[in-house]
Short mmCIF file of all heavy atoms in Angstrom, two decimals:
data_model
loop_
_atom_site.label_atom_id
_atom_site.label_comp_id
_atom_site.label_asym_id
_atom_site.label_seq_id
_atom_site.Cartn_x
_atom_site.Cartn_y
_atom_site.Cartn_z
N PHE A 212 115.17 124.80 106.58
CA PHE A 212 116.45 124.82 105.85
C PHE A 212 117.62 124.65 106.81
O PHE A 212 118.61 123.99 106.51
CB PHE A 212 116.62 126.13 105.08
CG PHE A 212 115.44 126.44 104.19
CD1 PHE A 212 114.71 127.61 104.37
CD2 PHE A 212 115.06 125.56 103.19
CE1 PHE A 212 113.62 127.89 103.56
CE2 PHE A 212 113.96 125.83 102.38
CZ PHE A 212 113.24 127.00 102.57
N VAL A 213 117.50 125.27 108.00
CA VAL A 213 118.57 125.17 109.00
C VAL A 213 118.75 123.72 109.43
O VAL A 213 119.86 123.25 109.63
CB VAL A 213 118.24 126.07 110.22
CG1 VAL A 213 119.25 125.86 111.33
CG2 VAL A 213 118.19 127.53 109.78
N GLY A 214 117.62 122.99 109.50
CA GLY A 214 117.66 121.58 109.92
C GLY A 214 118.59 120.75 109.06
O GLY A 214 119.24 119.81 109.55
N GLY A 215 118.68 121.07 107.77
CA GLY A 215 119.50 120.27 106.86
C GLY A 215 120.81 120.92 106.49
O GLY A 215 121.53 120.41 105.62
N VAL A 216 121.15 122.02 107.14
CA VAL A 216 122.30 122.80 106.66
C VAL A 216 123.62 122.04 106.77
O VAL A 216 124.55 122.28 106.00
CB VAL A 216 122.37 124.18 107.38
CG1 VAL A 216 122.85 124.05 108.81
CG2 VAL A 216 123.23 125.16 106.59
N ALA A 217 123.68 121.09 107.71
CA ALA A 217 124.92 120.33 107.87
C ALA A 217 124.93 119.09 106.99
O ALA A 217 125.99 118.59 106.61
CB ALA A 217 125.12 119.94 109.34
N ALA A 218 123.75 118.58 106.65
CA ALA A 218 123.68 117.27 106.01
C ALA A 218 123.22 117.31 104.55
O ALA A 218 123.49 116.37 103.80
CB ALA A 218 122.76 116.35 106.81
N SER A 219 122.53 118.36 104.16
CA SER A 219 121.93 118.37 102.82
C SER A 219 122.54 119.47 101.96
O SER A 219 122.56 120.64 102.35
CB SER A 219 120.41 118.56 102.95
OG SER A 219 119.90 119.26 101.83
N ASP A 220 123.03 119.09 100.78
CA ASP A 220 123.59 120.08 99.86
C ASP A 220 122.52 121.08 99.44
O ASP A 220 122.81 122.26 99.24
CB ASP A 220 124.16 119.39 98.61
CG ASP A 220 125.45 118.64 98.93
OD1 ASP A 220 126.07 118.96 99.96
OD2 ASP A 220 125.80 117.72 98.17
N THR A 221 121.31 120.61 99.30
CA THR A 221 120.22 121.50 98.89
C THR A 221 119.96 122.56 99.94
O THR A 221 119.91 123.76 99.65
CB THR A 221 118.93 120.69 98.63
OG1 THR A 221 119.22 119.67 97.69
CG2 THR A 221 117.82 121.58 98.12
N ASP A 222 119.78 122.11 101.19
CA ASP A 222 119.52 123.07 102.26
C ASP A 222 120.69 124.05 102.43
O ASP A 222 120.49 125.24 102.62
CB ASP A 222 119.25 122.35 103.59
CG ASP A 222 117.86 121.70 103.61
OD1 ASP A 222 117.06 122.02 102.71
OD2 ASP A 222 117.59 120.91 104.51
N ARG A 223 121.90 123.51 102.34
CA ARG A 223 123.07 124.39 102.46
C ARG A 223 123.09 125.41 101.33
O ARG A 223 123.37 126.59 101.54
CB ARG A 223 124.36 123.56 102.49
CG ARG A 223 125.58 124.39 102.89
CD ARG A 223 126.77 123.54 103.31
NE ARG A 223 126.94 122.36 102.50
CZ ARG A 223 126.85 121.11 102.95
NH1 ARG A 223 126.59 120.86 104.22
NH2 ARG A 223 127.01 120.08 102.13
N GLY A 224 122.76 124.95 100.13
CA GLY A 224 122.71 125.86 98.99
C GLY A 224 121.65 126.94 99.17
O GLY A 224 121.87 128.11 98.82
N ILE A 225 120.53 126.57 99.74
CA ILE A 225 119.46 127.56 99.98
C ILE A 225 119.90 128.58 101.03
O ILE A 225 119.71 129.79 100.85
CB ILE A 225 118.14 126.84 100.40
CG1 ILE A 225 117.57 126.08 99.20
CG2 ILE A 225 117.12 127.85 100.94
CD1 ILE A 225 116.43 125.14 99.54
N VAL A 226 120.51 128.10 102.09
CA VAL A 226 120.98 129.03 103.13
C VAL A 226 122.04 129.96 102.55
O VAL A 226 122.04 131.18 102.81
CB VAL A 226 121.52 128.27 104.36
CG1 VAL A 226 122.15 129.24 105.35
CG2 VAL A 226 120.40 127.47 105.03
N ARG A 227 122.92 129.42 101.71
CA ARG A 227 123.95 130.26 101.08
C ARG A 227 123.29 131.34 100.21
O ARG A 227 123.71 132.50 100.22
CB ARG A 227 124.89 129.39 100.24
CG ARG A 227 126.12 130.14 99.74
CD ARG A 227 127.02 129.29 98.86
NE ARG A 227 127.72 128.24 99.57
CZ ARG A 227 127.58 126.94 99.35
NH1 ARG A 227 126.77 126.50 98.41
NH2 ARG A 227 128.26 126.05 100.06
N ALA A 228 122.25 130.96 99.50
CA ALA A 228 121.53 131.92 98.64
C ALA A 228 120.84 132.99 99.47
O ALA A 228 120.85 134.17 99.10
CB ALA A 228 120.52 131.18 97.76
N VAL A 229 120.26 132.60 100.60
CA VAL A 229 119.61 133.59 101.48
C VAL A 229 120.66 134.57 102.01
O VAL A 229 120.42 135.78 102.06
CB VAL A 229 118.87 132.89 102.65
CG1 VAL A 229 118.37 133.93 103.65
CG2 VAL A 229 117.72 132.04 102.14
N LEU A 230 121.82 134.04 102.39
CA LEU A 230 122.89 134.92 102.88
C LEU A 230 123.34 135.89 101.79
O LEU A 230 123.63 137.06 102.07
CB LEU A 230 124.07 134.09 103.38
CG LEU A 230 123.81 133.34 104.70
CD1 LEU A 230 124.85 132.25 104.92
CD2 LEU A 230 123.80 134.33 105.87
#
Side-chain angles (χ1 to χ4, degrees):
F212 308 120
V213 173
V216 74
S219 149
D220 288 340
T221 305
D222 286 348
R223 191 163 40 243
I225 290 170
V226 173
R227 190 183 290 118
V229 172
L230 289 164

